[in-house]
Amino acid sequence: MNTPQRVEHAMTDKGYVPLYATGIVEQPWESYTPEDHETWSILYRRQRDLLKDRACREFLVAQDAMGMGEALIPRFDVLIEVLQKATGWTLIGVEGLLPELDFFEHLANRRFPVTWWIRRPEQIDYIAEPDLFHDLFGHVPLLMNPVFADYMAAYGRGGVKAHAVGPDALVNLTRLYWYTVEFGLIREPEGLRIYGAGIVSSAGESKYCLESAAPNRIGFDLKRIMRTRYRIDSYQKTYFVIDDFAQLFDATRPDFRPYYSELAPLESFPAGSVQAADRVFNRGTGEGWLSGGDV
Ligand code: PHE
Ligand code: FE
C-alpha cells in the first residue's frame, strides 16, 4: 500500500481550493509523532471540559462508551470493535475530503470516512478542512446511538438518490447535513444542547452557539432548512433545533424527490434570515431553554 497522504487545501490555478482524495487507507498509527498525540490531548481535554454541560447527553454517553481517551490518538481498529457491536457501523481511514458520491455510498453502507491525519499545532484553534479531530471526536460518537446511526445511513442512501436527480437536489440535501449533522442543536430538559460535529469539535463555536445573542435558533423544519444558505467561513448565523433524534429520523423518512421539485423554483433564504413561520428560540425569550440561567 502507498504511504497515506495528507490532502488539504492547496494553491492551484483556481486559487486556494479544497482538494479531493479517493484513497482508503489503513490508519498509519505508528507514524503519529509525540506532537500529534499532544495535539489530540490538548483538543480532547479542552472540548470535554467545554462540552460537559453543553453537548447533548447522547453525545457524552456515546463518547464515553466508545472508550476514546485523552492520552493518545485512538486506534481505529479498537473503536471499530465497539462501534460495530453497537450499531453495525465501521470506520475507514481517508486522506481528506471525498467526492460526494463516494461519501454517500460509504454512509449508505455504514462506513464512516475518518481523516487519518491530525492538524498541526498552529492549527489548533482553526483549520479549514476536516481532520482526525473533527471526524473522530466530532462525528463518530453519535454513530453509537441507534437512531442517529440509522439517520446517517438513510442520509447516505438519500445522497445517492439526490445525486441522480441533479445539482439543485444536492444543494438541498447538503443543507440538511450542514444544519443537522454538522451544526445541529437539540432541546433537552436542562436546556439547549449541541449535537452537531462541526460545533463539538470547535472551542469557539461550542460557546457561541448557545451563549451568544447574535445567531438565530430556530425549530427544526425540513423544507425550511433545505432552502437556507449557510456560511462556511464563520460561525453560523442560524442553528436549527430538534426536539429529539426521532423527530429528525421521522421527518426525513419520506421520499425527498417531490420536495426537490417543489423547492426548485423557490428562492433560497439568506443564512441569517428569520421567516414568519419560524419558531424562534432566541436568548431573552424567557423560555428557559438556555443553560446558565442568564436568559
Ligand atoms: N428520505 C430521503 C429521500 O428520499 C432520504 C434521506 C433520509 C435523506 C434521511 C436525508 C436523511 O431522499
Ligand atoms: Fe464534518
Side-chain angles (χ1 to χ4, degrees):
M1 191 187 278
N2 296 330
T3 315
Q5 303 294 306
R6 171 182 172 130
V7 180
E8 56 179 320
H9 275 68
M11 192 54 80
T12 71
D13 53 2
K14 296 196 180 79
Y16 193 61
V17 297
L19 301 179
Y20 290 87
T22 47
I24 307 296
V25 299
E26 190 83 33
Q27 181 189 27
W29 197 84
E30 304 294 338
S31 77
Y32 293 128
T33 63
E35 190 175 78
D36 289 335
H37 290 296
E38 179 64 12
T39 299
W40 169 269
S41 297
I42 292 169
L43 287 167
Y44 186 95
R45 259 182 270 129
R46 184 166 76 179
Q47 285 313 107
R48 285 292 301 204
D49 188 47
L50 280 168
L51 293 175
K52 59 182 189 297
D53 48 11
R54 293 186 177 88
C56 67
R57 232 178 311 111
E58 289 86 343
F59 176 88
L60 296 169
V61 167
Q63 199 168 50
D64 288 340
M66 283 207 89
M68 286 185 191
E70 72 166 65
L72 295 171
I73 292 175
R75 299 185 61 112
F76 295 176
D77 51 4
V78 173
L79 299 179
I80 287 169
E81 288 242 346
V82 184
L83 185 56
Q84 241 168 356
K85 281 201 196 93
T87 58
W89 274 79
T90 191
L91 309 177
I92 51 174
V94 294
E95 299 175 308
L97 283 177
L98 296 177
E100 251 158 2
L101 191 55
D102 293 31
F103 181 65
F104 294 143
E105 279 170 348
H106 287 310
L107 295 187
N109 291 289
R110 295 189 177 244
R111 296 187 294 263
F112 194 81
V114 177
T115 305
W116 73 266
W117 53 265
I118 194 159
R119 66 195 70 184
R120 287 185 282 266
E122 65 272 22
Q123 297 170 310
I124 284 248
D125 291 317
Y126 183 78
I127 174 164
E129 43 264 300
D131 72 330
L132 179 136
F133 186 75
H134 169 76
D135 288 340
L136 201 59
F137 182 98
H139 282 286
V140 170
L142 278 179
L143 296 174
M144 294 280 288
N145 178 282
V147 180
F148 193 83
D150 287 350
Y151 173 69
M152 288 292 278
Y155 180 86
R157 294 192 296 275
V160 174
K161 270 168 58 179
H163 195 268
V165 174
D168 291 353
L170 274 182
V171 168
N172 293 150
L173 190 69
T174 302
R175 289 172 177 166
L176 176 63
Y177 191 88
W178 190 266
Y179 281 120
T180 61
V181 178
E182 294 291 358
F183 291 96
L185 297 181
I186 184 169
R187 282 176 64 195
E188 299 216 318
E190 306 76 27
L192 292 192
R193 291 290 184 271
I194 305 162
Y195 72 92
I199 311 176
V200 296
S201 59
S202 158
E205 197 149 4
S206 294
K207 290 185 265 185
Y208 176 88
C209 71
L210 296 176
E211 284 137 59
S212 167
N216 304 312
R217 301 172 188 87
I218 295 174
F220 175 87
D221 174 337
L222 178 62
K223 290 183 201 167
R224 161 75 160 96
I225 288 176
M226 288 174 135
R227 283 183 71 177
T228 307
R229 283 189 241 277
Y230 58 84
R231 299 291 299 253
I232 61 165
D233 56 350
S234 65
Y235 295 156
Q236 299 307 302
K237 295 192 174 302
T238 300
Y239 300 94
F240 288 93
V241 183
I242 59 173
D243 293 327
D244 49 38
F245 292 122
Q247 178 193 25
L248 193 54
F249 193 66
D250 292 343
T252 52
R253 203 190 301 271
D255 182 4
F256 282 6
R257 280 173 297 197
Y259 300 172
Y260 298 141
S261 313
E262 180 187 331
L263 297 176
L266 305 178
E267 291 271 317
S268 293
F269 297 130
S273 70
V274 176
Q275 304 300 319
D278 288 343
R279 190 167 158 222
V280 182
F281 306 148
N282 274 341
R283 283 170 66 98
T285 56
E287 306 228 34
W289 285 339
L290 293 172
S291 57
D294 61 343
V295 170

